Amino acid sequence: MGKTPTPRQQARERTVAEILRIGREQLASEGAAALSLRAVARELGVVSSAVYRYVASRDELLTMLVVEAYTELGDRVDAAVEAAPGGPFERFAALARAVRTWALAEPARYGLLFGSPVPGYHAPAERTTGPGIRVVARLLRILDEAWAAGGGPREESDVRRLPPRLAEDLERIREEFGAAAPAHVLARGVGVWSGLFGAVNFEVFGQYGAGTFTDPAELFELTVRRLADEAGLPGQ
């Protein structure tokens, strides 16, 4: 068992949580580019220098918000996939719906992760890559399960169409993720990944236009089925 935090540590954790709460509110009301530690300090009722004892800079706060958002999204996706009955298609559909549900509920935080880059901010890879790849790693696990069960595209034509450099990139990704499915399956998986987030982006950022679709969820479900077809996921 871990040590019980001291009262001082507990107070620090509460303050950091409050800073993150205010940061999330600023994202929603002002946008990531306008995030300000001075505004955080005003909301906390302290001088701005006091905030720097907990957060070193605006970029540090952005990184904390990025990691928090990726972690929450990853947790939602994992919980949805693990609760999904059935086979690879049902798990993929659960993943896709979890991404969409979280994105529509948290458009500002989703925008921080997948929208326009924040001017002057560069997310530190050593802190953000791990949380940031959780959803795609879960997708690759689903593709692997489908491949092991006899699903997935097995056409030799897919292999022959891969340009050599892309094939090398995909093989490297296979090794990094420990994937069993071959490179041409991962190539389709990358298309599914970008297609899923493209569909979510269009809805979250209003790219379809107001009133174009009476029920965007119906369009999304159609997209999920078509992406699953592309990946060769059985169980629809």
Side-chain angles (χ1 to χ4, degrees):
M1 295 180 61
K3 294 182 179 180
T4 301
T6 66
R8 184 174 181 176
Q9 289 170 329
Q10 292 175 351
R12 180 178 182 83
E13 289 171 1
R14 287 193 297 270
T15 302
V16 171
E18 189 69 1
I19 290 171
L20 286 171
R21 179 191 66 78
I22 296 169
R24 291 193 298 271
E25 291 178 353
Q26 280 195 28
L27 281 179
S29 63
E30 307 295 335
L35 197 67
S36 163
L37 289 184
R38 288 183 178 276
V40 170
R42 284 196 301 271
E43 182 70 18
L44 278 174
V46 299
V47 296
S48 57
S49 59
V51 176
Y52 289 96
R53 294 203 298 266
Y54 304 94
V55 182
S57 64
R58 181 211 68 154
D59 284 5
E60 170 70 10
L61 178 55
L62 277 169
T63 297
M64 292 166 68
L65 290 167
V66 166
V67 171
E68 180 189 57
Y70 272 136
T71 299
E72 186 173 304
L73 175 59
D75 288 347
R76 296 287 181 88
V77 165
D78 284 345
V81 172
E82 288 164 11
F89 169 74
E90 288 77 15
R91 286 192 282 279
F92 169 67
L95 178 152
R97 292 169 190 144
V99 170
R100 175 178 181 267
T101 298
W102 187 84
L104 292 175
E106 300 283 354
R109 297 168 75 198
Y110 180 86
L112 176 63
L113 303 182
F114 302 107
S116 300
V118 180
Y121 172 69
H122 301 283
E126 67 277 8
R127 294 180 59 185
T128 58
T129 298
I133 65 173
R134 283 181 58 185
V135 174
V136 69
R138 175 63 80 162
L139 173 59
L140 287 177
R141 285 170 58 184
I142 293 170
L143 294 175
D144 256 8
E145 291 167 9
W147 178 261
R154 297 175 183 265
E155 298 87 349
E156 283 298 317
S157 60
D158 273 5
V159 180
R160 290 196 298 270
R161 281 199 297 264
L162 286 179
R165 285 184 297 183
L166 176 59
E168 291 176 4
D169 290 339
L170 291 166
E171 284 295 340
R172 174 177 47 79
I173 293 169
R174 266 186 84 238
E175 293 177 3
E176 289 177 0
F177 281 87
H184 71 276
V185 173
L186 265 62
R188 291 201 182 193
V190 171
V192 169
W193 176 36
S194 60
L196 168 61
F197 279 89
V200 173
N201 278 20
F202 261 60
E203 193 170 351
V204 170
F205 302 133
Q207 296 301 309
Y208 290 125
T212 301
F213 296 104
T214 304
D215 186 355
E218 293 180 345
L219 175 63
F220 186 75
E221 289 298 317
L222 178 63
T223 300
V224 168
R225 291 194 295 273
R226 289 183 171 170
L227 290 172
D229 283 341
E230 171 66 15
L233 298 178
Q236 299 183 58

